[in-house]
Amino acid sequence: MTKKPFFTSGLKFSCNRCSSCCRYDSGFVFLSEKDLNKLMFALNMDKDSIIKTYCRWVTDWKGDEVLSLREKSNKDCILWDSGCTVYTERPLQCVTFPFWDSIVSSAEYWEIAGTGCPGINNGDLHTEKEIESAIEMRACQPIINRTGADL
Ligand code: SF4
Ligand code: SF4
């Protein structure tokens, strides 16, 4: 982020585990190699079986094929069953929500995200440094991309 962020005084967020962001709506949960390794540990499965059972290849905004979790027919995340079944090993995208570049890039996007998440603007105050650190963590763990790769 090059311009001064709107959250220099921090942002309030505490997850109440309502599961709204894991259910009901279609969406992508992108996976990095580290995420896959964590899922291998949580599900006690090898990488190929996890990709085959729980994942799908989707097209990103650049037109590349990238790895995401699947959804059930009712749009719930494939790993949701009365709560996240891999909570302690859940993907970094889930861990860092709502401190995503796409959400904290403006106060307006932050407020829009808040309409779907009761944890936004409530609870613990997260400092600018914490928020920047969440964004950097994701930037350091690229999503698995099979465009041009042998996967
Ligand atoms: S919608 Fe917000 S409060 Fe509900 S589980 Fe997701 S992050 Fe937590
Ligand atoms: S992996 Fe877990 S936390 Fe992430 S969307 Fe699926 S059920 Fe929700």
Side-chain angles (χ1 to χ4, degrees):
M1 199 171 293
T2 46
K3 65 177 185 190
K4 193 172 153 86
F6 79 94
F7 50 82
T8 49
S9 305
L11 290 169
K12 278 189 174 184
F13 169 71
S14 285
C15 177
N16 69 9
R17 308 277 291 264
C18 71
S19 288
S20 208
C21 55
C22 308
R23 307 186 65 197
Y24 314 121
D25 266 332
S26 203
F28 298 147
V29 179
F30 297 117
L31 301 174
S32 67
E33 284 290 346
K34 193 167 180 183
D35 290 326
L36 264 189
N37 288 334
K38 284 163 66 185
L39 291 178
M40 283 164 66
F41 173 75
L43 299 165
N44 194 23
M45 289 168 73
D46 63 50
K47 193 183 284 187
D48 288 346
S49 304
I50 289 176
I51 292 177
K52 202 169 171 186
T53 312
Y54 294 106
C55 301
R56 58 185 167 152
W57 293 99
V58 298
T59 306
D60 73 4
W61 63 277
K62 289 182 293 187
D64 286 355
E65 277 196 293
V66 293
L67 198 65
S68 168
L69 288 176
R70 281 181 198 273
E71 293 166 349
K72 299 179 192 173
S73 55
N74 63 1
K75 310 288 185 206
D76 289 359
C77 173
I78 189 84
L79 293 173
W80 193 91
D81 184 7
S82 303
C84 178
T85 54
V86 294
Y87 190 76
T88 58
E89 307 298 331
R90 68 199 187 285
L92 187 61
Q93 178 176 323
C94 309
V95 173
T96 55
F97 182 83
F99 303 126
W100 300 348
D101 211 2
S102 56
I103 294 177
V104 299
S105 58
S106 76
E108 186 190 355
Y109 290 149
W110 173 256
E111 293 304 327
I112 291 169
T115 62
C117 169
I120 287 179
N121 290 327
N122 281 305
D124 300 336
L125 182 68
H126 299 261
T127 63
E128 178 183 4
K129 199 172 168 188
E130 282 177 79
I131 296 162
E132 296 284 16
S133 152
I135 294 167
E136 277 165 30
M137 258 197 291
R138 283 196 73 200
C140 291
Q141 293 183 32
I143 303 311
I144 297 171
N145 182 329
R146 77 171 174 184
T147 300
D150 187 21
L151 274 169

